[in-house]
């Protein structure tokens, strides 16, 4: 099948590459000429495990191509995927300008029947808006060509996106046209060999399903952080509580890890956008507002613990950070808890020495050269000259460190474990102070 993908970010590039891997001929279009040139040279603009060899192999085979020519892209596709960004607008709602711009381009150039697939995370009702935009653009040029618009939201986890795309747990298709449904059934047949994963529904239900899924996961995270904050105050250990409730199959263990809050390009944006959608339709989504409020506060948790440890005197202190990306296996710094922590430390007069396996370059791009920020080549170098250590991202390389070595390198030996990676007793036995999230024993020592 000939497929066109508008957008070469996380969603567009991963989706296009995986569809090419299944034998389709995919043309990825982007307005960023520099990005397209890099892709043509085999350079991947994002870090995503397993993606680079797939892109290079399919590009070399001729199944995956790149262009900045919108007319050629529209002419190519039996199905055209819209996979551009929907960043939060000033009021928290999804900014639809990129999606609607693609819709107009499709209307300006469409010359035969095609299925237009909304892959971007979009507000309920977007399929209707895209349909109107395409029809209006065609009317301007006096064309009357049949097309269908469907909703096919992505469910890709950054850091595991290739696996999620190749082995999806479900394929949501919102469509009312039998012709469009049959085309997507054919397209996704290779992904359904083990068992039927395709779930058919109407367009608006599919659009809401994506927002509901991300908001549910964000809610679990904020709920567990609430429990962690209660555990601190009553002298309980949230990790024991987590095991106790996770054993209930109605709850399960997924997404009940307390920490420094969620970040990235999806959860914060989607929770806010769904809340705005509810408000625009006359409903106050109080729970969604609370989820976001808890998350905003939780991102300051490590900073508050560090402030208490130093009795509020951070001026001139140096804090080592392990982890900058919002989660492991990505270089994405969008809404990352590390950014909140670093900016608060700088405001208080502290310096930062940081290491992350992938996100150092992105951090340098965001913050530039600063006297109070040193980006280190390895985790141990980050500890040199530092007073304390804060673990912000749960990369595997941080999970079993040499605590004795940590103690010798730190001037004021203390570990602030933002992901509860370590056993408090083990850390304390090596002569370090330990502060975790919701670990009643350790925070009690801080007088909380």
């Amino acid at each position: 099948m000939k497929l066109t993908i508008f957008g070469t970010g996380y969603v567009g590039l991963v989706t296009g590459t995986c569809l090419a891997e299944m034998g389709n001929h995919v043309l990825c279009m982007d307005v960023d000429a520099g990005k397209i040139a890099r892709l043509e040279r085999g350079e991947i603009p994002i870090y995503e495990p397993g993606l680079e060899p797939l892109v290079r192999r399919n590009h070399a085979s001729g199944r995956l191509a790149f262009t900045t020519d919108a007319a050629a892209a529209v002419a190519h596709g039996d199905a055209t995927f819209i996979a551009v960004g929907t960043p939060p607008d000033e009021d928290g709602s999804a900014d639809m300008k990129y999606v609607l711009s693609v819709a107009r381009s499709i209307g300006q150039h469409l010359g035969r029947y095609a299925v237009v697939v909304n892959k971007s995370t979009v507000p309920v009702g977007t399929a209707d808006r895209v349909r109107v935009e395409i029809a209006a653009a065609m009317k301007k040029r006096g064309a009357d060509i049949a097309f269908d618009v469907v909703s096919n939201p992505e469910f890709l986890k950054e850091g595991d996106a290739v696996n999620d795309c190749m082995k999806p747990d479900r394929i949501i298709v919102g469509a009312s046209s039998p012709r469009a449904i049959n085309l997507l059934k054919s397209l996704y047949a290779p992904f359904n060999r083990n068992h039927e994963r395709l779930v058919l529904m109407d367009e608006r239900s599919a659009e809401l399903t994506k927002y509901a899924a991300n908001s549910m996961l964000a809610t679990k995270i904020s709920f567990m952080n609430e429990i962690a904050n209660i555990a601190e105050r009553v002298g309980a250990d949230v990790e024991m509580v987590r095991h106790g409730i996770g054993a209930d199959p109605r709850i399960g263990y997924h997404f009940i890890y307390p920490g420094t809050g969620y970040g990235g390009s999806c959860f914060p944006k989607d929770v806010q956008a769904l809340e705005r959608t509810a408000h625009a339709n006359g409903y106050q989504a109080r729970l969604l507002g609370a989820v976001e409020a808890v998350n905003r506060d939780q991102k300051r948790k490590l900073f508050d613990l560090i402030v208490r440890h130093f009795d509020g005197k951070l001026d001139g202190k140096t804090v080592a950070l392990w982890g900058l990306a919002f989660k492991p296996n990505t270089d994405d710094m969008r809404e990352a808890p590390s950014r909140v922590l670093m900016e608060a430390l700088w405001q208080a007069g502290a310096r930062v020495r940081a290491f992350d396996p992938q996100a150092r370059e992105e951090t340098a791009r965001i913050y530039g050269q600063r006297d109070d920020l040193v980006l280190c080549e390895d985790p141990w170098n980050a500890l040199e000259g530092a007073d304390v250590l804060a673990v912000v991202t749960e990369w595997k390389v941080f999970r079993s460190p040499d605590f004795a070595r940590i103690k010798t390198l730190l001037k004021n030996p203390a570990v602030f474990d933002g992901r509860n990676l370590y056993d408090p007793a083990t850390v304390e036995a090596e002569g370090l102070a330990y502060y975790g999230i919701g670990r009643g024993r350790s925070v009690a020592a801080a007088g909380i």
Side-chain angles (χ1 to χ4, degrees), residues 55-373:
V55 171
R56 290 182 173 177
R57 178 167 69 242
N58 284 282
H59 183 51
S61 73
R63 291 192 302 270
L64 181 63
F66 306 99
T67 187
T68 57
D69 187 338
V74 174
H76 173 82
D78 300 317
T80 294
F81 288 74
I82 301 176
V84 294
T86 52
D89 217 333
E90 290 183 5
D91 64 354
S93 61
D95 187 343
M96 295 299 296
K97 63 184 176 185
Y98 302 116
V99 170
L100 298 179
S101 176
V102 172
R104 285 190 290 274
S105 292
I106 294 170
Q108 290 162 2
H109 302 296
L110 193 64
R112 61 187 175 89
Y113 173 81
V115 176
V116 178
V117 183
N118 273 335
K119 203 72 177 170
S120 301
T121 301
V122 293
V124 177
T126 296
D128 295 333
R129 294 183 67 185
V130 167
R131 197 175 288 114
V132 168
E133 289 286 343
I134 294 173
M138 284 200 296
K139 185 177 180 180
K140 277 187 179 180
R141 62 186 177 97
D144 185 15
I145 299 161
F147 67 94
D148 285 306
V149 178
V150 306
S151 175
N152 176 217
E154 54 83 16
F155 295 94
L156 306 179
K157 299 185 296 291
E158 288 189 39
D160 201 24
V162 171
N163 186 61
D164 286 343
C165 196
M166 297 298 287
K167 299 175 181 178
D169 46 21
R170 78 279 208 198
I171 302 168
I172 303 294
V173 173
S176 53
S177 161
R179 188 176 183 183
I181 290 170
N182 287 334
L183 185 144
L184 287 177
K185 280 185 174 180
S186 297
L187 175 62
Y188 286 123
F191 300 90
N192 275 314
R193 294 192 67 192
N194 180 265
H195 65 273
E196 181 60 56
R197 294 179 171 89
L198 197 136
V199 182
L200 288 172
M201 58 185 72
D202 62 273
E203 295 95 326
R204 287 177 175 247
S205 295
E207 291 163 344
L208 183 55
T209 295
K210 170 62 178 182
Y211 276 132
N214 278 353
S215 296
M216 172 63 81
L217 297 175
T219 299
K220 292 184 74 173
I221 294 170
S222 281
F223 175 81
M224 208 60 203
N225 282 328
E226 286 271 64
I227 297 300
N229 291 330
I230 295 170
E232 288 183 357
R233 287 155 177 81
V234 301
D237 187 338
V238 74
E239 287 301 305
M240 295 180 182
V241 176
R242 179 176 65 82
H243 284 289
I245 66 173
D248 185 332
R250 297 170 301 174
I251 298 172
Y253 290 102
H254 294 297
F255 285 85
I256 60 169
Y257 290 87
T260 56
Y262 57 77
S265 64
C266 296
F267 288 6
K269 171 178 69 71
D270 294 352
V271 172
Q272 292 174 36
L274 184 55
E275 186 181 8
R276 292 300 304 173
T277 295
H279 184 266
N281 287 273
Y283 180 73
Q284 183 183 359
R286 291 167 293 175
L287 179 58
L288 295 178
V291 168
E292 264 296 283
V294 168
N295 194 60
R296 282 193 299 271
D297 291 345
Q298 199 69 18
K299 287 183 177 182
R300 290 186 60 86
K301 187 68 182 178
L302 283 184
F303 176 72
D304 292 341
L305 289 173
I306 294 170
V307 168
R308 289 187 175 104
H309 179 77
F310 286 109
D311 294 323
K313 301 170 184 176
L314 286 179
D315 189 31
K317 301 297 183 184
T318 298
V319 178
L321 260 64
W322 280 2
L324 293 164
F326 86 94
K327 63 180 288 189
N329 298 319
T330 183
D331 60 355
D332 196 341
M333 291 283 291
R334 287 174 288 184
E335 302 284 342
S338 65
R339 297 178 64 171
V340 175
L341 175 57
M342 288 192 294
E343 290 165 15
L345 289 169
W346 293 330
Q347 185 69 27
R351 295 184 295 272
V352 172
R353 295 178 61 84
F355 169 78
D356 187 283
Q358 293 296 333
R360 298 190 302 280
E361 184 177 328
E362 179 65 6
T363 305
R365 184 192 69 79
I366 293 169
Y367 292 111
Q369 283 288 119
R370 299 180 58 110
D371 293 337
D372 50 11
L373 172 63

